[in-house]
Structures are given as structure tokens and as C-alpha cells.
Amino acid sequence: AKSSEFWKKIELPDGADVEYVCIGVKASNYFMPAETLSDKGPGGGGWIHFNKYMQVTKKDGTVWCDGTVFAVGDCNYGCLGSPPNWEMPPVPKISYPGEEQALHAVKNMEILHKGSKKLKATWWPWGAGMFATSLGPHDACFVLAANHEKGSGYMVNWWIPAALQKELIESTKINECKNGCIGILIWHFVHHTPVNLWGAGPWVP
């Protein structure tokens, strides 16, 4: 921070002795061949190219490894097309879209296993616009209805209630991963909704 007003506001008029920048993301896809990795993107590139069916592709858009390899969640490029004519705008690298994309990929694997080529396209999932961000042990904020447009979304919960909400999300999600009854009851329908009420997906998935 270069603003003297900022440092005065937090009662450090002479600034900090050391600053650590702990923001942003970095690709860790070194195990993939260069022909499948992006030259651009967050952190300088290195993200896996994919198509609307979640299949890994080469830089030229052709499927890699006969379309039998899929890339979901944080590892992929995160968007399809180019601005302003996105086929799918950038998807936040958070847990919900990763799980949603994994479900889409599994459905397409099942289709391929049956010998069919009629794969189902992915979409910008409605849950990608919800962010529960920790701001310390007793503080957090929860943003709802965000999308790829700058300034979108609404902060609907904050302070201790948001911190409790984040703790509840984390504990029940871990419980689901352990095949716990409570976690499964809470989270099962998040990725098994019969209709999409909002987001960029089809009305009936």
C-alpha cells in the first residue's frame, strides 16, 4: 500500500517494516504437456485448456488424448471463448464450481462409456456467485449473486454471523465427504437440483 492516508488510518504512520503479498492464484499443472496449457491467465498462465464438455484440449481447440481426459475446478483455464463474446465467462476458482464441473465431467464419462458421443455441455453454475470469505477467527463476509461483471453481487451477511455461517459450511461439507448423514442431507441437493432457478445453466439440467 502506497497511500500514506491508509497507514495513518491503521495507526502505522511510517508504514510496515515488511509486506507479504498473499493474494492471487498460481497454476500447478507442470505435469501436463505444454500443448494443453494456456499462455495467459491468472498468475501468468499455465492453466489447462478445455472445451464445453470439460474435455482437455490443445491450444488449437482440438481434444487431447481422444477426449478421454477431463479438467475440472482450479486446474482448468476457467473460461471458454474471448471477451466480450464469451461462450462461458471466467468461473471463480472456488469449491462449488469445481464440484459442479466434476459432476458434469462424470456424466460425460458415463455417456462415453455407453458408446455415445452426445455429450452434455457445462455452464456457468449458479453457485459460483456465492463467496464466504474469512476475515479472521471471528469475522467474515458472505457475498451472493455475483457474476463475471465487475461490481456485481451483494454482501448479505457479515461479522460474527458470517463467521458462524462459514464454520457451518466447512464442518457440514467435511461431514459429507466422510459420508456423514447430516452432511449428505444438507449438501446432496446442491448438485442434484431438478431445475436451475438462476445461473447460466439450462432450466432442466
Side-chain angles (χ1 to χ4, degrees):
K2 297 180 180 179
S3 171
S4 59
E5 293 300 320
F6 167 78
W7 292 114
K8 290 177 182 178
K9 186 177 180 180
I10 63 172
E11 300 180 1
L12 289 172
D14 298 325
D17 295 329
V18 181
E19 291 183 47
Y20 294 96
V21 180
C22 302
I23 57 175
V25 292
K26 182 180 180 181
S28 298
N29 299 314
Y30 52 85
F31 55 90
M32 292 294 288
E35 63 181 343
T36 65
L37 302 179
S38 69
D39 297 321
K40 299 179 181 179
W47 306 97
I48 301 174
H49 285 293
F50 69 110
N51 62 19
K52 62 182 179 181
Y53 306 115
M54 307 308 305
Q55 295 167 302
V56 174
T57 66
K58 301 176 184 178
K59 295 180 190 291
D60 61 6
T62 58
V63 293
W64 179 72
C65 207
D66 296 326
T68 58
V69 181
F70 296 76
V72 303
D74 290 1
C75 70
N76 69 38
Y77 194 38
C79 60
L80 297 171
S82 302
N85 301 314
W86 294 109
E87 184 176 358
M88 184 177 73
V91 176
K93 293 186 180 299
I94 55 178
S95 60
Y96 180 92
E99 289 191 23
E100 187 79 352
Q101 289 180 355
L103 180 63
H104 296 173
V106 167
K107 291 296 183 182
N108 283 333
M109 289 178 194
E110 292 175 344
I111 291 172
L112 289 176
H113 181 67
K114 294 176 181 178
S116 175
K117 298 292 184 180
K118 296 181 179 180
L119 304 182
K120 292 187 176 182
T122 189
W123 57 80
W124 206 95
W126 64 268
M130 298 188 296
F131 301 86
T133 305
S134 177
L135 300 173
H138 306 298
D139 197 5
C141 63
F142 180 66
V143 175
L144 185 67
N147 56 41
H148 66 285
E149 298 290 346
K150 183 178 181 180
S152 64
Y154 305 92
M155 188 166 72
V156 296
N157 195 10
W158 56 89
W159 195 45
I160 292 178
L164 294 173
Q165 177 190 9
K166 185 171 177 62
E167 181 65 28
L168 181 65
I169 290 171
E170 292 175 349
S171 58
T172 55
K173 192 62 191 173
I174 292 299
N175 183 260
E176 183 205 22
C177 293
K178 293 180 178 180
N179 290 321
C181 181
I182 294 176
I184 290 174
L185 288 174
I186 291 174
W187 290 102
H188 175 79
F189 290 103
V190 171
H191 297 293
H192 296 80
T193 50
V195 295
N196 281 315
L197 299 179
W198 60 85
W203 171 248
V204 180

